[in-house]
Amino acid sequence: MDQFQQKPKDAAAEQIECLIIANGLKTHDKLPGERELCEVYGFNRMTLRSAIQKLIVQGLIYNKPGAGTFVAEPKLSRSFSDLKSMTEFAHENGLTLSTAVISFDETESNKDISKRLKVMLGSRVYVLTRLRTISDVPLSVETVYISADRFPGLMAYDFGATSLYKVLEEDYHIRIDCGEELISVTYLNGFEAKLLKKPENTHAFFVRSTTWDDGGNTVEHIKSVTRADHFHYTNVLNYSARMK
């Protein structure tokens, strides 16, 4: 077999995507049943089911047991280069954001966090874990590490009701200027799955990010786990800036 030949389930998944586009199906519209799809496209039942499962994992469609398969809501899209807070992102996209503080503690920094925050090993750091929900969908579990020595009194704030970035800017006079992110794929553990209302071991995005202020000082380090069925990351490629 040609190593570049499509697998049957991938070809079937593409056919279903084309069907959705060609027929102008919208969010929550129902797809034809398995029997009809098999008859029209010549799929066998196992190939079709594999293709449907692939598209469900990708978040393009969803299944209601006993009712059928439906077009899913479009995923939220965020640019790699976007340094806006989740509050700003939701507001600019006309979305409703709610935040629940899962835990907010002060502890000693370990080797990894000390290196990322550029503080001495054993320094006091805040560890803030929050569940971010957008338009009633639990989207992300986010843990922020931030120096307690640099930002004394931070635990007095309710970060379920106010933006961390807003507090840093207005009360601590910090302007976040730049950052870096490392995005990979992970599986939800039991704790994350319960908060995000997904089965354990579901695929998700794992993001590590660090931000700096306009003086080049590290502000925070963040670890977040985000549902891949409702969210994706994009990037804009600048052709004029390519290497010559």
Side-chain angles (χ1 to χ4, degrees):
M1 180 190 295
D2 186 338
Q3 61 176 323
F4 298 111
Q5 184 176 336
Q6 270 190 317
K7 294 180 180 179
K9 75 169 183 179
D10 295 331
E14 284 191 8
Q15 290 275 25
I16 295 171
E17 287 189 68
C18 289
L19 179 149
I20 292 171
I21 295 169
N23 290 276
L25 298 184
K26 298 179 175 58
T27 302
H28 306 309
D29 283 351
K30 187 176 180 180
L31 272 66
E34 287 187 3
R35 178 178 295 178
E36 182 178 345
L37 288 172
C38 287
E39 290 176 355
V40 171
Y41 294 106
F43 304 144
N44 68 54
R45 192 63 62 91
M46 290 301 296
T47 296
L48 176 61
R49 288 178 178 174
S50 295
I52 288 174
Q53 186 57 40
K54 176 182 177 179
L55 294 175
I56 289 174
V57 170
Q58 292 177 348
L60 297 175
I61 61 176
Y62 65 94
N63 180 263
K64 278 187 174 182
T69 306
F70 302 82
V71 179
E73 294 184 6
K75 291 185 180 184
L76 298 176
S77 180
R78 191 167 186 177
S79 171
F80 286 114
S81 58
D82 186 1
L83 258 180
K84 295 182 178 71
S85 68
M86 186 66 79
T87 302
E88 293 172 305
F89 170 78
H91 178 74
E92 290 183 0
N93 288 276
L95 304 168
T96 302
L97 171 71
S98 62
T99 300
V101 175
I102 306 303
S103 62
F104 194 7
D105 302 302
E106 184 178 333
T107 188
E108 293 184 357
S109 63
N110 59 26
K111 186 175 180 180
D112 177 60
I113 297 303
S114 297
K115 180 179 179 181
R116 295 180 186 278
L117 291 181
K118 301 294 190 293
V119 298
M120 295 291 292
L121 181 65
S123 295
R124 305 303 297 178
V125 296
Y126 299 120
V127 184
L128 170 63
T129 299
R130 295 177 291 179
L131 173 65
R132 318 305 294 271
T133 298
I134 289 184
S135 300
D136 297 323
V137 177
L139 185 68
S140 178
V141 179
E142 177 187 273
T143 299
V144 181
Y145 301 86
I146 191 166
S147 170
D149 292 331
R150 187 179 181 196
F151 302 101
L154 203 61
M155 292 188 73
Y157 294 88
D158 177 8
F159 290 113
T162 190
S163 165
L164 174 60
Y165 279 18
K166 182 178 180 180
V167 168
L168 293 179
E169 180 179 343
E170 294 184 356
D171 294 358
Y172 291 88
H173 310 294
I174 296 297
R175 180 179 178 275
I176 293 179
D177 181 64
C178 60
E180 68 175 11
E181 286 188 333
L182 176 64
I183 301 174
S184 57
V185 176
T186 187
Y187 298 92
L188 298 180
N189 61 32
F191 171 73
E192 296 158 348
K194 184 176 180 179
L195 290 174
L196 296 175
K197 298 182 180 179
K198 296 293 290 182
E200 191 171 351
N201 294 321
T202 298
H203 287 90
F205 292 116
F206 177 63
V207 182
R208 273 187 178 269
S209 60
T210 304
T211 59
W212 296 274
D213 62 22
D214 50 6
N217 303 301
T218 304
V219 176
E220 61 180 348
H221 181 67
I222 306 170
K223 294 191 292 186
S224 66
V225 176
T226 302
R227 284 175 55 166
D229 60 336
H230 277 273
F231 197 86
H232 63 199
Y233 291 90
T234 62
N235 194 18
V236 176
L237 302 179
N238 188 345
Y239 183 74
S240 64
R242 71 193 187 282
M243 296 291 290
K244 295 182 178 181

